[in-house]
Amino acid sequence: MGTTEENLREEIKSLQKEMARQQDEIAAYRLAQKVLIEVTTGCSSKPGGIIKAALQKTLDVCADVTATEKGSLFLLDPASKKIVDAILTRTEVSPEQRTKLIGSVLDKGLAGWVSRNREIGLITDTEQDDRWLTLPNQPYIVRSALGVPIINNQNLLGIITLLHSQPNHFTDRMAESMEATAEQIGLVLENARLYGQLDIYSKALDHELEKGRQIQIDFLPYDIPKLDDWEIVACFHPAKQVAGDFYDAFTLGNDQIGLVIADVCDKGVGAALFMALFRSLIRIFSSEEDKLQATTTSINLAHEKALQAVRLTNDYVAQNHWQMSMFATLFFGVLDPKTGLLSYVNGGHEPLFIINQDGIKQTLNSTGPAVGMMPNMKFEIKEVQLEPGEILIGYTDGVTEAKCPEGKLFTDKRLKEMVEKPANSASELIGRIKNKLFDYMEDAAQFDDITMLAVRRN
């Protein structure tokens, strides 16, 4: 009978220990969960970013759970073991005292002992334990302390030190609970560290993209040619910091005017780089018209030579950058301001419209494929006449494919309704379309670049 009772007592003790262990694990999980929730909800408003907020929240929650009066959390670099950040809570020390405190405790104090031994350090009475270092002129009393290593994947990520002015404040049970909690906190801090790095990389990338945006803006014509009896206006709204759309208006030989509107396939940095390439090639090749030979006598000679820039650009991109699979839909027109004659190539671009007081007079459809897809492609040159009062307007598909909050497209139909109404100037027409377009989009995200170019003969 006695043996049975002893066995029962042992089993009960074993169950009690197991229950206590499970309770500690549950408490540790809840504590870590609380830290995680606090970090996730409070980081965005904290100066210094997510890692600083994670440290502060971790220390605050641990201090609250253990009724700690003061404490510290040192974040270590896993490779060098050096402190990369530190947080002190409920402390009145000056910045100078803070620096001295951190250096001293890591050298001779409890935090240093925890770092070297990678195990929890419990001091029930600082006056009886040589692991405690009392600093000269210490502004507060410490009689009990608890040092907890934060380890993740064998890496020492940090050390939490909790302090109290009364001896025996921290118990073995509390130490075991904090040790279990530290493992979960290690996951939180490691994630916070990774998010912090991501935040740094993201800001650096934003900075580089902003420089790219400014460079790209410089590629757009700073001064659109001012001509007697002519009005040239443009509208450019990139969907991202850098864009694949571009427009251009520049002077060629014999006072002819080059007009370009184009849309490079894809988005982002790659499209922006090719946008700069296409724009530069069109300008360079069209200005070398004296080196080119005419292929027909039916088109204005100077215009035909300049417009061969489209063919040369196509061949250059297709032969030298074929592996990138980048191309552009592109309209390039050459205007004679004296006569109103416009010779043009439309390389797979959206149709342009010539508008008079009665609506759409003429549509300038594609005269060849998109530019840069394959070498030796044919691009037909066509001519139109712009009469006084008429407007030529071109756009990119970011206009017609813009979406409202419900996801429906703006459509070609709505655009035609806008351009068919009489306009007294190119500026008025562009402004009308832009207002209607952005009213339609409301607060919906802009997925594509929006570009328009309009020319009016007054």
Side-chain angles (χ1 to χ4, degrees):
M1 185 70 178
T3 305
T4 303
E5 288 180 357
E6 288 176 3
N7 290 340
L8 186 59
R9 288 195 190 98
E10 289 298 325
E11 190 172 342
I12 290 173
K13 287 181 181 179
S14 177
L15 287 172
Q16 287 174 336
K17 287 182 180 179
E18 179 62 22
M19 287 177 63
R21 186 187 66 79
Q22 290 183 359
Q23 287 174 350
D24 286 343
E25 287 185 356
I26 292 171
Y29 172 77
R30 286 177 177 170
L31 177 57
Q33 190 178 46
K34 184 176 181 182
V35 171
L36 182 60
I37 292 171
E38 293 274 1
V39 169
T40 349
T41 55
C43 285
S44 58
S45 60
K46 291 287 181 182
I50 190 169
I51 188 65
K52 199 80 171 179
L55 293 174
Q56 188 64 64
K57 290 294 183 180
T58 299
L59 183 57
D60 289 347
V61 172
C62 292
D64 288 341
V65 169
T66 57
T68 295
E69 293 177 343
K70 304 182 189 301
S72 63
L73 195 160
F74 301 148
L75 184 69
L76 304 177
D77 175 48
S80 65
K81 305 296 189 296
K82 292 182 179 179
I83 293 179
V84 294
D85 211 338
I87 297 290
L88 306 182
T89 188
R90 298 183 176 91
T91 180
E92 301 81 21
V93 295
S94 65
E96 294 77 12
Q97 290 172 319
R98 180 179 184 273
T99 303
K100 184 180 292 186
L101 168 67
I102 293 172
S104 300
V105 297
L106 268 183
D107 182 26
K108 301 177 182 178
L110 177 61
W113 184 91
V114 171
S115 174
R116 290 188 294 274
N117 292 274
R118 298 168 70 90
E119 62 180 75
I120 201 160
L122 173 61
I123 296 179
T124 56
D125 190 344
T126 57
E127 294 182 359
Q128 307 296 324
D129 197 311
D130 57 10
R131 291 176 297 178
W132 180 255
L133 175 67
T134 301
L135 298 172
N137 302 317
Q138 185 169 288
Y140 48 79
I141 297 172
V142 179
R143 288 296 303 276
S144 56
L146 182 63
V148 184
I150 301 173
I151 298 173
N152 180 258
N153 291 331
Q154 305 302 314
N155 292 320
L156 182 64
L157 301 180
I159 301 166
I160 299 176
T161 305
L162 306 173
L163 312 175
H164 201 276
S165 58
Q166 297 298 320
N168 300 307
H169 176 76
F170 301 106
T171 64
D172 290 333
R173 177 75 178 275
M174 199 179 291
E176 291 172 3
S177 176
M178 284 303 301
E179 187 173 28
T181 302
E183 184 177 340
Q184 302 297 325
I185 292 175
L187 294 173
V188 174
L189 289 186
E190 177 64 9
N191 287 337
R193 185 179 70 85
L194 294 175
Y195 275 119
Q197 289 180 347
L198 183 62
D199 184 54
I200 293 171
Y201 296 151
S202 176
K203 288 178 180 176
L205 178 60
D206 283 343
H207 179 66
E208 292 302 314
L209 287 175
E210 178 58 28
K211 289 196 292 186
R213 185 188 72 84
Q214 190 57 53
I215 291 171
Q216 185 176 45
I217 288 174
D218 291 341
F219 272 103
L220 300 175
Y222 183 75
D223 285 318
I224 290 179
K226 302 289 192 299
L227 306 171
D228 292 339
D229 300 325
W230 290 90
E231 178 193 11
I232 305 173
V233 294
C235 160
F236 177 68
H237 291 275
K240 298 181 179 179
Q241 284 176 289
V242 288
D245 280 12
F246 73 97
Y247 68 90
D248 205 356
F250 55 97
T251 303
L252 290 162
N254 299 320
D255 297 324
Q256 305 299 288
I257 302 298
L259 301 168
V260 182
I261 185 166
D263 183 0
V264 179
C265 69
D266 206 0
K267 305 287 184 295
V269 175
L273 292 173
F274 272 86
M275 163 266 180
L277 177 63
F278 277 99
R279 179 263 190 193
S280 298
L281 291 175
I282 290 292
R283 281 207 172 201
I284 291 169
F285 289 141
S286 62
S287 66
E288 294 181 342
E289 59 184 69
D290 57 323
K291 300 179 183 178
L292 302 173
Q293 294 184 354
T295 59
T296 177
T297 58
S298 61
I299 302 294
N300 178 289
L301 181 61
H303 287 196
E304 183 191 357
K305 288 183 176 181
L307 288 169
Q308 289 188 45
V310 177
R311 174 180 58 81
L312 295 173
T313 298
N314 174 82
D315 292 348
Y316 181 92
V317 173
Q319 290 168 2
N320 293 280
H321 301 287
W322 58 269
Q323 69 277 16
M324 299 297 294
S325 300
M326 297 293 283
F327 59 89
T329 64
L330 182 148
F331 174 92
F332 180 28
V334 180
L335 173 68
D336 185 343
K338 293 180 181 178
T339 65
L341 177 68
L342 175 73
S343 306
Y344 69 92
V345 169
N346 185 337
H349 196 70
E350 304 294 320
L352 281 77
F353 303 119
I354 296 178
I355 306 158
N356 58 23
Q357 292 301 308
D358 297 323
I360 297 175
K361 169 189 171 182
Q362 193 169 347
T363 301
L364 311 187
N365 293 311
S366 294
T367 64
V371 180
M373 295 180 68
M374 295 178 63
N376 304 316
M377 301 302 291
K378 302 296 182 182
F379 296 92
E380 184 181 359
I381 298 173
K382 291 192 174 183
E383 289 182 342
V384 293
Q385 185 72 32
L386 288 176
E387 302 295 344
E390 293 182 346
I391 299 174
L392 169 73
I393 182 166
Y395 58 95
T396 60
D397 59 7
V399 175
T400 54
E401 295 179 5
K403 295 181 179 180
C404 68
E406 290 74 33
K408 296 180 180 179
L409 299 178
F410 186 72
T411 71
D412 298 313
K413 180 182 178 182
R414 283 190 177 86
L415 177 62
K416 286 183 178 179
E417 288 175 356
M418 291 293 100
V419 300
E420 284 179 340
K421 296 177 182 178
N424 294 318
S425 68
S427 300
E428 179 186 322
L429 179 61
I430 291 267
R432 177 201 303 162
I433 298 171
K434 196 164 71 168
N435 291 338
K436 181 71 173 179
L437 180 64
F438 284 100
D439 285 346
Y440 181 81
M441 293 169 62
E442 293 183 4
D443 56 353
Q446 181 183 335
F447 292 104
D448 201 358
D449 308 321
I450 293 173
T451 307
M452 289 183 280
L453 177 68
V455 180
R456 184 178 189 268
R457 186 175 185 182
N458 296 326

